[in-house]
Amino acid sequence: MIPFLFSMATVCVLWTGLSFFFGTGLVPSPWETAACLARMATTTAMWENTAITVTRGMVAILVTLLLALVLGIIAGLSRQIMSFMSPLIAVLQATPPILWITLLMVWAGAGNAVPILVVTASVFPPLFLNVAQSVAALDRRLLMTAKIYQVKKHRILKDIILPGIYPYVLAGLTYALASGWKVTAVAEFLGSSRGIGAQIYWSYRMLEMPELFSWALVLIGLGMGLEFSLIRSLRRKAQGGTVHA
Amino acid sequence: MLELRGIFKAIGGQRIIQDVNLFLRRGDMICLAGPSGVGKTTLLEIAAGMIEADGGTVRRHSTRMGCAFQDAPLLPWLSACDNMDFFLSAHMPPEQRRQVSRCWLGKMGLEGAAWKKPSEMSGGMKRRLSIACSLALKPDILMLDEPLAFLDKDCQKAVTGELARLHARRSAAILLISHELELLVEIGASIVEIDSSPLSLFYGQA
């Protein structure tokens, strides 16, 4: 708790210093920002935009996770399919999010599709590789024995594959949550009219600096909340031990 | 039931198995005997489908095949009981699986380990569990690698007793690797001595 308060205090001091140096027109002071944030919190627009961003991020992560599980398990079990897919994954990995955002804005317009698909495109490759590699690393002799005993596919999935890849998938999911979150905001900034990212864009266009800073605080606050609530506990589960901050 | 024709296998550039032809019918029980390192385990694993041969064909006319290998592959996250349930799942309804599992865990001296996971069991216990799975299945093809080694008298009796029953009913083709030859001859197994290296063999009628 003490290191946390200390870093908060450091940020406040630096922030106030910058605000004096550049003037409150460019860098609103922490107090001004807090007042603006308090004002925004009474409007429904703020909660709506926050909810939109959070929903988009979560839907995107869930869709990506499902896709990565299905395709990753298939590719992990068959070397041919894996060698077939790996160039595609390499292309996907080499494509910067900005390209997806541009293309998807043209193809899909400014709705929910852009942020969700951009997160999927950028988080899918690492998550997929994570699943495929952990499936490929499963005990082959155990899988062969199950086959000899003619164990049904759904039991092999439930009792060998899923428990075997569980820790690796959790580790991959922590990464996906942390980065997918930021990608959602960027995609909204560039390709959507609603959500926190879009609000940051509008504040920037109007040069409403207190609002811009308030949205930034909301974004950072959500990211930290995610980190401390979900990501830490997932990581701890994945490692089967404790995580030191 | 089980046909191996012209099997070849090389491991690391060295030919281990050269031209094995083996034809087993229901009611046959043979035991491969010979010095270690001659390729018996490799041959059994090819016959079971655990590893691929480099040449030749393997045919199995089986609806329930039971196997136990020396390394006893088991599900590390499930208890002994649940492991048996998993391996028997394709062949029996749940209630029968529970009964058969309990019975065989008892016969193999594992009743106290029913809820233990493989990581909490010794190597010998894991092998007994794996043998229990293969016998509980009432298999029509049965392949066991050293099923009697490191077993106490009671467990040996349980295993040979079940082998004798399967053999008497002529319900299974049985392929064994063992050094406990007297015990197996007693229950009517034919011993196939292997001394050639690389392993070559002709047994049974095509």
Side-chain angles (χ1 to χ4, degrees):
Chain A
M1 201 61 202
I2 289 167
F4 181 74
L5 287 177
F6 179 75
S7 38
M8 289 296 282
T10 313
V11 169
C12 278
V13 168
L14 279 175
W15 187 353
T16 315
L18 285 173
S19 166
F20 270 119
F21 191 75
F22 288 108
T24 49
L26 281 181
V27 183
S29 69
W31 333 116
E32 206 181 328
T33 307
C36 177
L37 187 59
R39 212 175 327 115
M40 277 164 56
T42 60
T43 64
T44 52
M46 166 166 161
W47 299 107
E48 233 176 69
N49 282 303
T50 309
I52 286 171
T53 300
V54 170
T55 315
R56 280 172 176 166
M58 291 300 151
V59 168
I61 298 282
L62 277 180
V63 168
T64 315
L65 179 65
L66 272 179
L67 208 62
L69 273 177
V70 172
L71 293 176
I73 287 172
I74 293 171
L77 289 174
S78 150
R79 212 165 280 161
Q80 278 109 321
I81 295 179
M82 186 65 205
S83 62
F84 214 75
M85 287 197 67
S86 46
L88 286 173
I89 297 297
V91 169
L92 216 54
Q93 263 182 318
T95 312
I98 190 77
L99 205 58
W100 291 117
I101 296 172
T102 319
L103 287 176
L104 288 167
M105 269 166 63
V106 177
W107 294 336
N112 288 321
V114 175
I116 290 176
L117 288 173
V118 170
V119 172
T120 303
S122 65
V123 172
F124 175 75
L127 213 49
F128 165 83
L129 289 175
N130 198 286
V131 173
Q133 278 160 4
S134 55
V135 170
L138 287 171
D139 185 349
R140 291 279 125 177
R141 289 181 67 87
L142 180 55
L143 284 167
M144 284 310 297
T145 309
K147 208 168 151 192
I148 289 170
Y149 277 86
Q150 297 173 319
V151 178
K152 297 273 186 300
K153 289 220 166 62
H154 72 270
R155 290 257 355 216
I156 292 182
L157 181 70
K158 174 177 146 280
D159 287 328
I160 300 185
I161 296 177
L162 291 180
I165 66 174
Y166 172 76
Y168 304 97
V169 172
L170 276 193
L173 192 59
T174 60
Y175 166 81
L177 277 170
S179 75
W181 168 246
K182 290 167 202 157
V183 176
T184 309
V186 174
E188 285 178 343
F189 182 93
L190 293 165
S192 180
S193 55
R194 277 145 39 105
I196 297 176
Q199 295 310 309
I200 289 180
Y201 175 77
W202 285 112
S203 317
Y204 150 73
R205 289 299 301 271
M206 304 292 169
L207 278 178
E208 288 279 358
M209 296 316 274
E211 242 175 69
L212 179 58
F213 271 65
S214 302
W215 283 116
L217 280 187
V218 173
L219 201 55
I220 294 167
L222 278 175
M224 282 175 71
L226 193 69
E227 167 78 25
F228 283 105
S229 61
L230 207 56
I231 295 179
R232 289 267 161 111
S233 65
L234 280 180
R235 204 177 292 150
R236 204 168 301 147
K237 251 191 199 159
Q239 292 173 345
T242 50
V243 175
H244 299 286
Chain B
M1 290 303 281
L2 177 65
E3 293 179 28
L4 279 72
R5 277 175 206 266
I7 299 293
F8 283 84
K9 178 77 183 174
I11 294 176
Q14 200 192 348
R15 187 148 269 182
I16 305 278
I17 293 172
Q18 176 147 340
D19 200 18
V20 166
N21 296 276
L22 182 67
F23 304 92
L24 291 186
R25 283 179 293 190
R26 246 180 228 282
D28 284 347
M29 171 157 64
I30 70 164
C31 172
L32 305 179
S36 57
V38 81
K40 302 186 301 273
T41 293
T42 308
L43 179 59
L44 185 102
E45 294 195 344
I46 288 171
M50 195 74 159
I51 53 178
E52 293 260 348
D54 295 337
T57 53
V58 179
R59 276 213 193 86
R60 305 174 204 93
H61 304 282
S62 159
T63 52
R64 12 170 100 200
M65 182 159 68
C67 300
F69 306 101
Q70 296 213 41
D71 61 339
L74 296 165
L75 296 122
W77 30 79
L78 295 186
S79 66
C81 216
D82 291 337
N83 260 287
M84 283 198 77
D85 187 80
F86 175 80
F87 285 112
L88 300 178
S89 62
H91 300 292
M92 297 171 200
E95 184 48 38
Q96 192 188 352
R97 294 206 290 269
R98 253 192 301 278
Q99 273 173 17
V100 168
S101 301
R102 203 175 311 139
C103 165
W104 272 99
L105 287 173
K107 282 189 193 174
M108 298 305 280
L110 292 167
E111 58 276 82
W115 300 107
K116 283 191 178 156
K117 292 185 179 163
S119 59
E120 301 162 314
M121 305 200 297
S122 69
M125 289 162 89
K126 283 189 260 191
R127 290 192 45 192
R128 274 183 278 153
L129 178 56
S130 154
I131 294 165
C133 291
S134 67
L135 293 175
L137 193 65
K138 293 251 178 289
D140 55 13
I141 293 182
L142 178 63
M143 300 188 206
L144 303 175
D145 194 352
E146 292 289 359
L148 302 173
F150 313 113
L151 257 58
D152 65 28
K153 285 275 170 296
D154 289 342
C155 291
Q156 277 190 345
K157 225 174 254 166
V159 174
T160 51
E162 184 64 19
L163 289 175
R165 247 191 308 279
L166 287 170
H167 186 52
R169 275 198 222 113
R170 308 192 67 76
S171 60
I174 305 174
L175 177 60
L176 307 167
I177 295 174
S178 181
H179 290 97
E180 263 71 18
L181 300 183
E182 298 90 14
L183 286 174
L184 292 171
V185 169
E186 236 171 73
I187 58 168
S190 321
I191 308 298
V192 178
E193 283 284 352
I194 290 169
D195 41 23
S196 64
S197 179
L199 197 165
S200 75
L201 178 66
F202 196 100
Y203 182 92
Q205 282 176 315

